Amino acid sequence: MNVYEESFRYDTSKSEQEMDVRKGPWTEEEDSVLKAYVNIHGEGRWNSVARLSGLRRTGKSCRLRWLNYMRPEIKRGNISLEEQLLILQLHSRWGNRWSKIAQHLPGRTDNEIKNYWRTRVQKQAKQLQCDVNSKQFKDAMRYVWIPRLIERIRASSQPTSAQPSTITNLTTESESVHVGPSLLPESSGTSSDSQLSSVTDLTDFYDPQSVSNYPNNVRNGSGFENVAAEAWGRSDDGWLGGGGGESSMETVWNEENIWFLQQQLRDEV
DNA sequence: AACGGCATCAACCGCTGAGTA
DNA sequence: GTACTCAGCGGTTGATGCCGT
């Protein structure tokens, strides 16, 4: 019996069997009980919630249900382009720190982001036959997916607006994440220091210098970038295209392009 | 229409760290 | 300092729906 179970039994003086703890999907009735209880007593003290609300659920289960599903600020529906971009960025910085990443995506839960990463991003790594943490995959993200994604974000914003100085700028007490002009494909090679000063957090993420260091077969028009970018262009509602429906990256990463990308990545070194 | 495989997502599990008596 | 309780995190699993055959 683990610590939690011990504590649960200690708190209630009843065994789990006596409590007949429920598992599995929540019913509407349970949801409304939980909602009513939290509305009155507030969040926290989840074991008490479980015990006093009459729900035959563990405190953990109540907490998870509230945080991941019932909180009023929860945003449901497709992950937007901007959110996708942020997830890619933040994961490149922090790895699987889902809750930390989720703090920068209002209304999204760590669970949702984790699921998104596993189902969408890891799938692409699988198709490219490389690990999500591999240099190959990170390069694919840096040099193809993210610039392309930014392009799409810009395209979907007002066409008459001047060069956006910042697409995304989320700040916490100690850390900030910016997407500035230097990240945009057009200006990627000419970023000034002053521009970079506002996007210092991204210098390890998309560094024009590192692009210039990238192998010619990756940089030039016949290489990696173009193939992948072209593949992107074929699908207006592709994986990172958002908004256009439920289609997946299959349309983008078709066999031919995956093969070509793999060749390019192998030629690197 | 039936079936099987796959993708997605809600929920659970195990562990850890913070707070407190 | 220690034991205990609780909340939170990340990994994993299982149910469900969708899609192709």
Side-chain angles (χ1 to χ4, degrees):
Chain A
M1 180 176 285
N2 62 32
V3 173
Y4 170 72
E5 285 167 340
E6 279 173 5
S7 68
F8 187 75
R9 191 164 69 164
Y10 177 85
D11 279 353
T12 60
S13 301
K14 287 177 181 175
S15 72
E16 279 190 7
Q17 278 188 336
E18 283 174 299
M19 287 294 293
D20 188 26
V21 174
R22 269 183 55 82
K23 290 183 182 180
W26 281 63
T27 64
E28 280 184 30
E29 195 183 347
E30 287 176 312
D31 280 345
S32 58
V33 169
L34 178 61
K35 190 175 182 180
Y37 188 94
V38 173
N39 283 341
I40 294 169
H41 298 93
E43 296 181 36
R45 299 199 162 273
W46 295 107
N47 278 340
S48 302
V49 174
R51 195 171 64 242
L52 301 174
S53 66
L55 289 166
R56 289 176 167 182
R57 295 279 182 172
T58 65
K60 267 185 153 182
S61 182
C62 293
R63 172 184 166 271
L64 216 59
R65 183 63 178 172
W66 179 260
L67 294 180
N68 288 342
Y69 191 82
M70 299 197 66
R71 269 188 305 160
E73 63 267 32
I74 288 287
K75 197 192 287 180
R76 311 206 72 81
N78 290 343
I79 305 238
S80 69
L81 290 171
E82 288 84 357
E83 288 172 322
Q84 291 176 38
L85 177 59
L86 257 183
I87 292 170
L88 294 181
Q89 287 175 343
L90 296 176
H91 188 275
S92 76
R93 292 178 59 199
W94 296 324
N96 297 354
R97 302 286 304 281
W98 306 118
S99 64
K100 193 167 183 173
I101 293 170
Q103 287 170 8
H104 291 279
L105 290 127
R108 300 294 185 185
T109 68
D110 56 349
N111 210 28
E112 196 173 8
I113 293 166
K114 182 169 56 179
N115 282 332
Y116 168 79
W117 183 266
R118 294 189 64 83
T119 57
R120 316 294 219 286
V121 181
Q122 286 196 344
K123 188 174 79 177
Q124 303 316 317
K126 209 173 184 178
Q127 287 191 333
L128 288 168
Q129 293 178 7
C130 60
D131 189 84
V132 279
N133 296 315
S134 68
K135 183 179 184 300
Q136 284 93 334
F137 190 72
K138 285 176 180 173
D139 284 343
M141 281 205 300
R142 282 179 191 163
Y143 303 117
V144 182
W145 297 3
I146 287 171
R148 184 69 188 179
L149 183 52
I150 290 166
E151 231 172 71
R152 299 185 78 95
I153 292 171
R154 288 179 55 181
S156 64
S157 65
Q158 315 100 314
T160 54
S161 66
Q163 280 278 13
S165 60
T166 302
I167 290 174
T168 304
N169 184 343
L170 298 179
T171 305
T172 61
E173 291 158 355
S174 58
E175 301 179 68
S176 62
V177 176
H178 307 274
V179 179
S182 67
L183 190 57
L184 302 177
E186 291 84 339
S187 57
S188 60
T190 57
S191 301
S192 67
D193 286 350
S194 60
Q195 280 175 314
L196 281 174
S197 66
S198 66
V199 292
T200 47
D201 287 335
L202 285 172
T203 54
D204 65 328
F205 176 68
Y206 184 81
D207 177 9
Q209 186 64 38
S210 67
V211 171
S212 65
N213 291 336
Y214 217 70
N216 285 339
N217 63 348
V218 171
R219 281 187 289 124
N220 71 25
S222 63
F224 170 100
E225 265 187 326
N226 273 14
V227 170
E230 189 185 328
W232 275 84
R234 289 181 194 164
S235 173
D236 282 342
D237 56 356
W239 173 56
L240 292 172
E246 294 292 309
S247 67
S248 70
M249 278 286 281
E250 271 84 352
T251 52
V252 176
W253 296 108
N254 59 37
E255 264 185 48
E256 184 187 348
N257 287 323
I258 288 170
W259 177 85
F260 195 95
L261 257 179
Q262 287 167 349
Q263 294 304 308
Q264 295 293 332
L265 291 167
R266 278 194 206 101
D267 291 345
E268 186 195 339
V269 175

